[in-house]
Amino acid sequence: MQRDESNLAWEVWIVQHHPAEGPALLSRAFRETGLLPRLIGTWRGDPLPTADQIGRCCGLVVLGGPQSADSDRNFPTRRAEMDLMAAALEAEVPTLGICLGAQMLALVAGGDLATGGEPEIGWGIVTLADESRDDPIFSGLECRDLWAVHWHGDQLVPPAGATVLGGTERYPEQAFRVGRTAWGIQFHLEADDHWIRSVSAAFPQEAARAEGGAEALLEQTAALERSTRPQRFSVLKSFARGVAQTFG
């Protein structure tokens, strides 16, 4: 697919499924890199670009949400979003799927989903695989243990040929790369204090399932969010730089 250079702005399309689950630190990473994040709130009825319009953006991000990646129930834009992700893969437009978005990317690329059992909610350490040392967005990390916020109950199964970059003991395949320009990350590196408080308020029953309950989750956030932000932001900034370099 040819890129439409005449209409190309430094826009990164960010698909948001729920008002509480915004891009948070990711928007800052894009702005600091000279990119323009364009938020597409499917929850509020914003029109979703079609697959044949993928040449009009320089990057695509699909965020998390309460929907299921493999069901159209309460998810009327699911198939159109997956078509958009498939077009981005074909055109090698830098793509990042987060949580629900990562599960959708896995399905688009030929992977699968499996029932995860006990949900993983709250702060936890992601152990990065050796393959992450040579990955464009993870290679800048000196430490192989990465603090992140988890909020999921399904297990993605990366497609054949994907590079698995890290996971947890309970969910060992949580980050992967497809080809050269697409990443799926089931955990939330973008989460800041406001994001965690908003999501906890929007989904109190799920927040209560964090270790120690919702109050413990917020206490952990006070202790960990600021101190772990540089490491988490480094990954997001590396993705943003990759977008800028690809079409700079």
Side-chain angles (χ1 to χ4, degrees), residues 13 50 70 112 126 129 169:
W13 294 346
T50 57
D70 61 357
D112 204 351
V126 175
E169 183 176 349

Side-chain angles (χ1 to χ4, degrees), residues 131 134-136 161-165 175-184:
E131 289 77 5
D134 298 321
D135 182 75
T163 302
V164 176
L165 300 168
F176 65 96
R177 186 183 72 248
V178 179
R180 300 185 304 156
T181 58
W183 286 264

Side-chain angles (χ1 to χ4, degrees), residues 15 20 22 26-27 37 51 55 60 66 75 83 87 111 130 141 144 151 162 167 184 245:
V15 181
L26 193 52
S27 287
L60 174 66
F75 199 175
D83 287 345
D130 289 342
L141 298 176
R144 295 295 95 189
W151 209 290
Q245 291 168 3

Side-chain angles (χ1 to χ4, degrees), residues 115-133:
T115 302
E118 186 67 19
E120 194 169 43
I121 295 174
W123 288 92
I125 293 178
V126 175
T127 300
L128 297 178
D130 289 342
E131 289 77 5
S132 69
R133 297 181 188 277

